[in-house]
Every structure is written in C-alpha cells, then in structure tokens.
Amino acid sequence: MKKSILLLLVLVAGSTASLEAQKFNFGVRGGLNISSLGDYEHPIGMYEDSELDNRVGPYAGLFVQYHITNQLGLESGLFYSQLGGKDKENDYDESYKITANPSYLQIPLTVFYKIDITDKFKFYPDLGIYAGYGIGGKMKTKGTIMNENVDSDLMYFDDFAREFDFGGTVGVNLEYNKFILSVNYDQGFTRVNKTKVEYEDNAYNSNLRITLGYKF
C-alpha cells in the first residue's frame, strides 16, 4: 500500500512538472536597431550643433516566454543592443561626420497576448519595459567647421553618457511554427547625457527594432 501511494505521488509530481515545463519557451533572437538620441543636439563647434539619429546597429540575445494561459504570457531575456545615432554635413563652410555607437546589455519584461490566425500562424502584440546598462562605445567627430578642425574621440560612457537606461517598449509579432518576426519601438525614459542641458532638449534613447527569433 505504501509503495502504491509513493508511486502515485511520483507520477503526480512528474505530471505537474511536465505541465509546468510546457508553459516555458526558450529561444534566440537577433536583428537590427535603427536608433537615435531624440531631439538632443550635440555641440561640436562654437556655432554648430548636431542631431544624432538614424543609426543602424545590431541586437541579439536569448529570451524566455512563460505562458499564463494559452494566449496570455510574459517574456524576458538578456540582449546585446547597440544604440546611438549619427549625423553628417558637407557644404561650403562645414564638412564633418559624427557617430555615437554605445553598447548596452538589456533586460526587457513584456506581456503578450497571442491570437491564432491559423494552426501554424499566430499574431501577438506585446507591451512592457526594459532596463539597460552601458558596457562600451565611443562618440567620434571628424571634419571641419568654418576651416576649424573639430575632430574628437570620446569614450561614450566616461565622457558623455550615464550607464543606466530605462524605458518602455511596444511591439507586434508574427509567429510561424518556431520562428518569430518582431517589430518593436523602444523609448528611453531616463536622460542619457550626464550633464543636464538647461532650456534645451536632452538626450533620450529612441529605437526601432526589427528582429527574427527562433524557439527551441
């Protein structure tokens, strides 16, 4: 009798663990960022400011999904994300190029709701937050303004920016079998530049992400 009860408990525990494991999906995701520093204008000369936007950088990492129900769930992960921006001018009195390429480690947390289109296709929006920490990058300027050299080579997080970044994210996803095509927009809530600019726009990370994921 005791052996029968013990066997029953083992079977129940194994079945519960199996059902719980089915609620989790793990995978990889990679793609491109199209980022900017918002309306911030970076001073590069006595009379010249530069708006840094539309820079393409890589985005890649691991994700995990937890299904609360068949449709509703949570997603998180750990990602490498290169953000920043760039600007370029070439006219009669100025010729320069400026590029900012900061790298972050990011942890997002989103909630999603999956809608079945067919047996194989699913569509789902997601909404959430992310936290990031800067791990490297530079802000480089090369060129001249009114025949004056404006070359500079700054360590992004030592000389210009704060390491911590926090913001919101919203996106749409199309899932086919184990593949997921995603488009997300991320907006930073924390000021990027260390020194606050009074009476002008400060820098905030803004990013459009396009990625392809695969679930194991």
Side-chain angles (χ1 to χ4, degrees), residues 55-68:
R55 183 185 180 277
V56 177
Y59 181 89
L62 306 173
F63 71 87
V64 56
Q65 292 182 344
Y66 176 74
H67 291 267
I68 301 170

Side-chain angles (χ1 to χ4, degrees), residues 30 35 39 60 63 66 69 81 102 133 144 163 168 173 182 196 205:
S35 60
D39 295 327
F63 71 87
Y66 176 74
T69 68
S81 183
Y133 188 81
T144 59
E163 286 87 356
N173 308 266
S182 305
K196 185 177 181 180
N205 283 320

Side-chain angles (χ1 to χ4, degrees), residues 105-198:
L105 288 180
Q106 288 184 345
I107 299 177
L109 178 61
T110 59
V111 59
F112 61 81
Y113 189 86
K114 294 189 177 183
I115 302 166
D116 293 336
I117 300 175
T118 69
D119 291 341
K120 294 184 178 181
F121 277 103
K122 299 178 187 295
F123 169 83
Y124 59 96
D126 62 51
L127 176 68
I129 58 175
Y130 74 87
Y133 188 81
I135 57 174
K138 290 189 174 185
M139 181 180 287
K140 293 185 178 181
T141 306
K142 188 173 181 62
T144 59
I145 296 176
M146 299 181 67
N147 296 320
E148 291 189 11
N149 188 291
V150 293
D151 291 1
S152 68
D153 190 350
L154 304 178
M155 299 300 295
Y156 192 83
F157 293 107
D158 290 340
D159 300 319
F160 170 68
R162 302 189 292 180
E163 286 87 356
F164 181 72
D165 185 37
F166 175 79
T169 181
V170 60
V172 292
N173 308 266
L174 184 63
E175 181 177 317
Y176 175 74
N177 284 343
K178 294 185 176 183
F179 293 93
I180 307 171
L181 178 64
S182 305
V183 179
N184 287 77
Y185 178 74
D186 305 330
Q187 178 59 55
F189 299 152
T190 57
R191 189 183 78 248
V192 172
N193 44 303
K194 284 183 177 180
T195 304
K196 185 177 181 180
V197 180
E198 300 292 344

